[in-house]
Amino acid sequence: MTDGFRFEATVHPKDDLAADTARMVADLDLDRVPDPTDDVRMLVDLNDCVRLLELGLEVRLQAAVPVRPLDPTLLMSDDAASARLRERIPPPGGAT
Amino acid sequence: MYRTVEQIDALAAQLAAQHPALCTLVRLPNPSIKGRTIHALRLRSADATGERRGVLLIGGTHARELMNPDLLIELAVDLVAATVNGTDVVLGARRWPAADLQLMLRALDVYLLPCVNPDGRTHVLTVDDMWRKNRRDNPGTTCDGVDLNRNADLLWGVAQGQTSCRPCTDIYAGSAAFSEPETRNVKHLLDSFRIHCFADVHSYSELVLHPWGHAATQTTDPAKRFTTLPTGTCQPLADSGYAEYMPAQDQFRFRTVGQRIVDAIADVRGHVYANQTGFDLYPTTGTQSDYAYSRHIARPALGKVYGYTIETGPWMGNARDSFHPANPEPVKDEAESGLLAFIQQCICAIDLLGAAQPAGAFDRLVRVRDDFLATTAAGRAWIALFDRAQIPLLAAVLADERLRARATQTLSAVAALLADPGNRLGRDLTDPAAALLRDLATGDVADDVADDVRAVITRLERLAGRTVEESLRDLMGEGPRGES
């Protein structure tokens, strides 16, 4: 994966030809991620898209996936991170 | 919500500091590629001594699969809380009684490596939330990272399916098998302790995966073994129709235990994970769970390890939200339930009661199970019955010294009898064994356990007076419910 634009994409054989899409994608060493309907889904950059198109595959871009850190609102505070231990095994005398 | 690496480490250290009799930090020999010290956590009951049958659960191999390190450290807290306070673990609609968790730590050493790849996790939290690999600087390229779940010594460098020799891919296998310090740490745990059950927890897609991952599995041609195949080829397997051998009994156990994991997960909120091989997802080589199972084949002196990969969590509409959903709690709950079932399935009554006996005293029992019963469908049905019934019965045995002594005496007598196939099962053995089972099955046992006990007593009646050889033939020919 090179820097720059990145997309979540599904890849399909053109014209419903019975191409072995999974095998073709495996040969390109792309980052395949699970797909709920067993489509071939992956993270690709623009160069990857070009390679897939040159193989005669249809590339459907599902979402842009910019390079960015985890949403900080998804991080626990230090207090929350140890809360389970305090709740399940309260320290003697209730001290914290 | 997710913890940072520092918060996970701090929680593990706090747990070990507050409960040193139950919980020990195990410093691993290899710092991460960026120099971070990594610890595993060992949980065992306070009265445990010596090296015992072990379970190893690891998470965070792939950096962006954020839920699983949190899940594993929370599992550690719950196991300790159940032991210290008698606190049941309630996971959605599934309640795990404290007594069940206490039995796990009485019977097993549970090793947890919550975050295999701490540098990768930190990179996800601070730079790129879709990062997968470790943070290796690959020389001669501008691309960083090795896929830690392609780096193990099982057909390493065979570019089968989702495995690559190219450093710029997200599925790069590395420069050599175990080139990465993080994977060497996992190998160290497998090498150093008596690990019998292993699970590598990943995300996403609601799967419980067992070997093989590099090819389809077959049970008929033992000559087809990965040990005969070339490694490091950077090409797919030459024979595209190749199928890897696995003994039928191992396949049966993988499927049976996998189904119990699936059932325990479904109990939480009804999500039914698929129980399948890794290859059914997509072909891979060098994965940690397949490596764990492959070790005893590559080196027969090593013990067998049943290795699973669990893919936690559903599709959430896109990959980013599936790898780290805004609310991971329900997924962690169901995964914890599945892992508790997995730990429970690793308990072995023979192993536990045999620990107080001279070394090897119960080996014949294990050999009868593995070399005879496991080879037929009927025999495997008996094994499944024992695996199912042993947990509630063991709890009763361990709670009462007299019952424990009777159980040990019975197993010792059976082990002695097995020394000669011509020995006969006398009433002096079958009657006390049946009486013990009746005593164990009195009181508050579930109907299915009572049914299992009745099936064993009925068969004991039938076998009384027969030789060992005749008895084994009988058990291998007809299961407890008439299976053949």
Side-chain angles (χ1 to χ4, degrees):
Chain A
M1 188 76 61
T2 56
D3 291 340
F5 293 103
R6 184 171 62 179
F7 303 95
E8 184 175 332
T10 54
V11 181
H12 308 266
K14 261 189 186 167
D15 306 324
D16 292 329
L17 294 174
D20 185 349
T21 310
R23 181 60 185 259
M24 294 165 82
V25 167
D27 290 345
L28 291 179
D29 293 339
L30 296 175
D31 181 14
R32 194 169 161 195
V33 296
D35 179 88
T37 56
D38 290 333
D39 275 348
V40 175
R41 179 176 293 266
M42 65 194 69
L43 295 180
V44 291
D45 61 21
L46 288 175
N47 289 334
D48 297 330
C49 287
V50 170
R51 289 197 294 159
L52 291 163
L53 292 169
E54 284 175 350
L55 278 177
L57 295 167
E58 180 179 304
V59 181
R60 297 179 193 159
L61 301 183
Q62 305 289 343
V65 186
V67 174
R68 68 180 190 211
L70 184 73
D71 176 353
T73 65
L74 294 181
L75 284 172
M76 287 188 196
S77 66
D78 285 346
D79 192 52
S82 58
R84 193 183 189 94
L85 183 56
R86 287 195 306 278
E87 289 162 5
R88 299 287 165 108
I89 318 176
T96 58
Chain B
M1 304 283 269
Y2 302 97
R3 291 177 179 83
T4 64
V5 172
E6 291 76 12
Q7 288 168 340
I8 292 168
D9 288 348
L11 191 48
Q14 210 177 345
L15 202 55
Q18 290 177 6
H19 303 282
L22 300 173
C23 204
T24 308
L25 283 177
V26 180
R27 183 178 174 142
L28 298 178
N30 304 287
S32 71
I33 200 78
K34 295 291 184 191
R36 185 186 290 269
T37 300
I38 303 174
H39 290 95
L41 206 52
R42 186 192 69 186
L43 307 179
R44 64 192 327 199
S45 58
D47 59 353
T49 55
E51 193 57 45
R52 308 188 313 157
R53 171 181 279 241
V55 178
L56 172 59
L57 308 178
I58 69 171
T61 298
H62 287 151
R64 65 194 175 194
E65 299 162 15
L66 287 183
M67 290 179 274
N68 308 311
D70 289 289
L71 153 68
L72 290 179
I73 197 69
E74 290 168 14
L75 171 67
V77 171
D78 288 349
L79 282 164
V80 172
T83 305
V84 171
N85 299 339
T87 311
D88 290 352
V89 176
V90 180
L91 302 163
R94 174 70 191 254
R95 175 180 290 272
W96 282 88
D100 285 7
L101 275 67
Q102 290 165 4
L103 179 59
M104 293 174 197
L105 296 194
R106 287 191 74 177
L108 300 165
D109 286 348
V110 177
Y111 292 88
L112 301 172
L113 176 49
C115 193
V116 170
N117 177 16
D119 303 333
R121 186 176 180 91
T122 299
H123 193 71
V124 164
L125 269 47
T126 57
V127 179
D128 178 4
D129 69 351
M130 293 297 275
W131 187 257
R132 169 180 168 97
K133 302 184 283 184
N134 74 348
R135 294 297 299 156
R136 155 81 64 187
D137 180 7
N138 292 311
T141 80
T142 58
C143 302
D144 293 335
V146 169
D147 185 340
L148 299 179
N149 205 28
R150 302 291 185 274
N151 188 236
D153 188 12
L154 169 64
L155 293 173
W156 175 85
V158 174
Q160 183 79 333
Q162 292 303 108
T163 305
S164 173
C165 289
R166 293 197 285 202
C168 289
T169 68
D170 268 332
I171 47 177
Y172 174 47
S175 59
F178 291 117
S179 59
E180 303 312 295
E182 296 88 352
T183 52
R184 289 200 299 276
N185 283 335
V186 177
K187 180 176 185 297
H188 169 80
L189 288 165
L190 291 166
D191 287 344
S192 304
F193 304 109
R194 198 155 70 85
I195 304 299
H196 190 77
C197 303
F198 172 87
D200 185 9
V201 189
H202 287 250
S203 293
Y204 57 94
S205 58
E206 302 189 324
L207 302 170
V208 176
L209 303 175
H210 59 263
W212 295 108
H214 60 278
T217 302
Q218 52 86 14
T219 59
T220 53
D221 184 0
K224 289 222 167 86
R225 282 267 145 104
F226 66 89
T227 48
T228 66
L229 301 174
T231 61
T233 59
C234 293
Q235 295 291 322
L237 294 176
D239 175 4
S240 61
Y242 177 83
E244 182 73 35
Y245 176 71
M246 177 186 287
Q249 54 266 41
D250 285 4
Q251 185 182 55
F252 174 79
R253 180 158 181 83
F254 272 120
R255 287 176 175 166
T256 304
V257 173
Q259 191 56 45
R260 293 195 178 126
I261 298 170
V262 166
D263 291 344
I265 289 171
D267 287 345
V268 173
R269 57 170 182 157
H271 284 218
V272 180
Y273 283 36
N275 180 17
Q276 63 181 56
T277 67
F279 183 75
D280 288 339
L281 176 61
Y282 44 61
T284 52
T285 57
T287 64
Q288 301 189 110
S289 58
D290 276 19
Y291 166 73
Y293 173 64
S294 76
R295 286 161 54 92
H296 77 287
I297 301 165
R299 292 176 58 198
L302 297 175
K304 189 185 294 182
V305 180
Y306 288 93
Y308 288 83
T309 296
I310 300 177
E311 298 277 357
T312 62
W315 170 249
M316 299 291 288
N318 62 68
R320 177 171 259 144
D321 290 342
S322 303
F323 283 126
H324 26 74
N327 178 18
E329 300 308 318
V331 178
K332 288 192 293 183
D333 279 355
E334 62 190 13
E336 181 171 340
S337 183
L339 291 173
L340 287 171
F342 181 54
I343 296 170
Q344 194 173 56
Q345 286 301 307
C346 198
I347 294 173
C348 173
I350 295 172
D351 201 72
L352 183 60
L353 296 173
Q357 300 299 304
F362 288 176
D363 285 359
R364 287 194 199 103
L365 297 172
V366 175
R367 281 204 296 276
V368 161
R369 182 190 65 194
D370 294 347
D371 298 345
F372 293 93
L373 294 180
T375 60
T376 69
R380 289 193 288 271
W382 283 107
I383 293 174
L385 179 151
F386 291 125
D387 283 348
R388 191 167 59 231
Q390 68 169 343
I391 302 302
L393 299 186
L394 256 181
V397 164
L398 295 178
D400 183 325
E401 274 306 317
R402 282 172 301 179
L403 284 175
R404 183 176 185 142
R406 286 170 66 192
T408 305
Q409 193 176 10
T410 301
L411 289 177
S412 298
V414 174
L417 191 79
L418 293 172
D420 183 342
N423 285 340
R424 288 191 183 276
L425 277 78
R427 284 281 175 192
D428 58 331
L429 175 61
T430 57
D431 287 352
L436 171 66
L437 287 167
R438 281 191 202 96
D439 289 346
L440 288 174
T442 55
D444 190 21
V445 296
D447 289 348
D448 56 341
V449 177
D451 286 347
D452 286 341
V453 168
R454 273 193 291 276
V456 177
I457 292 172
T458 302
R459 189 60 60 96
L460 277 172
E461 280 295 319
R462 187 160 115 185
L463 298 181
R466 297 194 193 181
T467 65
V468 167
E469 188 173 3
E470 290 165 347
S471 300
L472 282 178
R473 201 176 302 129
D474 181 274
L475 294 170
M476 291 163 64
E478 185 183 336
R481 309 278 185 271
E483 301 91 335
S484 59

